Amino acid sequence: MAMITTVTLNPAVDRVYVVPSLELGHIARPLMSSVSGGGKGINVSRAIHRLGGSTEAIALLAGTSGDWIADSITHEGIKLHRLDCAGESRTCIAIMDMSNGLQTELNEHGPTIGVDDLDILL
């Protein structure tokens, strides 16, 4: 079976909250929540891995959030090639409103990626 390599330039700590309803200016108590290391490429590697495929992820990671993302990915059994960069990896929050089925997302910007970071990636 062929190895599929994914590249994630802007990984994230992905947090998901499921709430009965979301009203701006009010408190919402989640019915459930989850947290995982993510980003498009990492999520593709996760899907491949869970389906029994062979995959490895390459990711630009920054700061303590980057450390957490790396730990969560390798804990799942996904081979990670970590490339460190300055700054802090982002956090993305998704809130699923069960009253209407709508999802609201709050996505932080990630670290600024420099030419040196891209040279290392290449």
Side-chain angles (χ1 to χ4, degrees):
M1 176 179 292
M3 170 74 70
I4 297 173
T5 302
T6 62
V7 178
T8 307
L9 299 178
N10 198 12
V13 175
D14 285 339
R15 293 187 175 277
V16 178
Y17 298 103
V18 179
V19 298
S21 72
L22 181 64
E23 288 185 61
L24 295 180
H26 291 77
I27 293 174
R29 303 243 183 249
L31 300 170
M32 58 192 290
S33 65
S34 66
V35 62
S36 62
K40 299 292 188 278
I42 290 169
N43 292 339
V44 169
S45 279
R46 178 178 293 113
I48 293 166
H49 180 71
R50 288 182 180 174
L51 292 169
S54 181
T55 186
E56 60 186 2
I58 299 170
L60 285 169
L61 297 167
T64 55
S65 295
D67 294 339
W68 191 91
I69 294 166
D71 289 345
S72 76
I73 295 166
T74 55
H75 181 73
E76 290 183 59
I78 298 168
K79 183 176 181 180
L80 173 66
H81 298 279
R82 175 186 180 141
L83 304 174
D84 290 307
C85 60
E88 192 68 36
S89 291
R90 65 192 177 128
T91 295
C92 296
I93 299 170
I95 305 167
M96 174 56 96
D97 184 337
M98 296 302 290
S99 70
N100 57 25
L102 296 176
Q103 179 170 297
T104 300
E105 295 188 20
L106 304 170
N107 294 339
E108 293 179 351
H109 293 283
T112 301
I113 305 303
V115 173
D116 291 341
D117 299 315
L118 294 177
D119 285 343
I120 291 169
L121 174 66
L122 294 174

